[in-house]
Amino acid sequence: MNAALKKIESAAGEPMVRIRGLRKAFGDHVVLNGIDFDVLPSQVVVVIGPSGSGKSTFLRCCNGLEQPQGGQIDICGRTLVRDGTMLSEAELNALREEVGMVFQSFNLFPHLSVLDNVTVGPRMLRKLSRAAAETEAHALLAKVGLAHKASAMPASLSGGQKQRVAIARALAMHPRVMLFDEPTSALDPELVGEVLQVMKVLAAEGMTMMVVTHEMDFAREVGDVVVVMDGGGIIEAGPPETIFTAPTQERTRSFLQAVLTRT
Ligand code: ADP
Ligand code: MG
């Protein structure tokens, strides 16, 4: 889908993710201090900010891996949490089928082949037959460029290949939103591009995505909105062009300077 079309469709849609007053603390350490944010259908939201600013916690709250103390998250048409009350465990599991998550550390099942890593969720949770799940898994592996690795074990793969399997596995659940938490941070530099390329294809197909990353070229090229977090809050958000060329916050400027001069 071209960018203009995507924008029009987004403008017409209800938010896919609606966050109001989100507060999360670990003990008396406040980590998210009242976040308000909307993600529209097919938007790619790139979240940046210094280490410890709350980016992972923010994403983890969005699929119920963390329980916030306050505020509300509506996602995929359901209220995930409101004022500290979460969906039941069964409802959470149903929600997680619609909200895929990819972590820095791949988290593949080491004892299962690539194919079985991708089919286990659909077989157990979507109740697909083995044959149907495998047909779909082969198509997804082809999509991430790993058709030839179906029978390989995770330990034999490079980091970039593992991460592409992790993406295929998440897609096998037919998510409506995909959350990525620093998906390329654990990779050798020469393997980063192959993972970002898969993410670009997903974005172009209209997947709604929230992506925590330090890959600023990806943020510029693929992001519709860049969110800058610091100290547990969103300090500014806007189109990549604005954030990168004319940030309003001094903290954004110094963060970008630090990241962009690192390479
Ligand atoms: P980021 O992803 O931006 O680096 P995190 O969301 O991981 O930030 O962490 C934000 C803050 O919350 C940090 O100070 C971190 O130490 C703290 N934190 C994160 N997870 C936990 C936890 N499970 N228990 C206690 N503190 C945590
Ligand atoms: Mg993090």
Side-chain angles (χ1 to χ4, degrees):
M1 197 184 305
N2 73 40
L5 199 59
K6 206 165 126 173
K7 293 278 184 328
I8 291 165
E9 195 172 274
S10 297
E14 285 288 299
M16 188 73 93
V17 188
R18 184 176 176 279
I19 296 157
R20 289 294 176 274
L22 180 64
R23 283 193 298 107
K24 170 71 186 169
F26 293 103
D28 56 10
H29 177 28
V30 176
V31 173
L32 301 176
N33 59 18
I35 289 185
D36 298 310
F37 197 70
D38 284 345
V39 183
L40 300 175
S42 293
Q43 253 184 349
V44 177
V45 173
V46 175
V47 182
I48 65 174
S51 178
S53 57
K55 305 180 298 296
S56 294
T57 306
F58 180 41
L59 278 201
R60 290 167 61 81
C61 284
C62 292
N63 77 343
L65 287 173
E66 299 288 356
Q67 178 158 8
Q69 280 82 20
Q72 181 164 343
I73 301 175
D74 298 299
I75 185 164
C76 299
R78 290 178 231 225
T79 297
L80 163 63
V81 62
R82 182 189 293 150
D83 298 331
T85 304
M86 296 250 271
L87 292 175
S88 69
E89 200 54 39
E91 290 168 321
L92 267 183
N93 286 335
L95 182 88
R96 290 197 188 111
E97 293 178 25
E98 300 190 84
V99 184
M101 184 144 181
V102 173
F103 301 88
Q104 180 177 336
S105 54
F106 324 129
N107 296 356
L108 297 180
F109 302 113
H111 59 293
L112 295 182
S113 70
V114 164
L115 187 68
D116 288 345
N117 263 280
V118 180
T119 58
V120 63
R123 290 178 62 198
M124 309 260 295
L125 300 168
R126 290 177 52 218
K127 310 293 181 201
L128 288 193
S129 69
R130 176 189 283 273
E134 290 189 351
T135 301
E136 202 176 307
H138 283 297
L140 286 170
L141 289 172
K143 180 178 179 137
V144 301
L146 292 173
H148 58 300
K149 291 291 186 185
S151 57
M153 296 304 284
S156 71
L157 303 179
S158 72
Q161 291 172 331
K162 282 181 197 163
Q163 196 59 300
R164 286 184 283 146
V165 174
I167 293 172
R169 183 179 60 176
L171 293 177
M173 297 306 294
H174 296 186
R176 297 173 65 199
V177 178
M178 285 283 287
L179 310 177
F180 293 87
D181 191 0
E182 300 203 32
T184 62
S185 293
L187 301 178
D188 290 332
E190 74 273 21
L191 303 179
V192 168
E194 64 193 52
V195 173
L196 294 180
Q197 183 53 37
V198 167
M199 293 167 64
K200 277 182 204 173
V201 169
L202 285 185
E205 288 174 352
M207 178 63 81
T208 306
M209 295 165 52
M210 295 176 74
V211 183
V212 176
T213 186
H214 297 294
E215 296 294 331
M216 297 300 158
D217 290 341
F218 176 87
R220 263 180 198 263
E221 190 185 332
V222 184
D224 295 306
V225 179
V226 174
V227 168
V228 187
M229 289 187 68
D230 195 21
I234 293 176
I235 59 169
E236 65 182 308
E241 210 41 44
T242 309
I243 298 293
F244 289 114
T245 58
T248 61
Q249 300 296 313
E250 181 51 39
R251 281 181 294 171
T252 303
R253 219 165 287 148
S254 55
F255 172 72
L256 288 175
Q257 197 161 28
V259 173
L260 295 172
T261 53
R262 200 184 47 185
T263 46

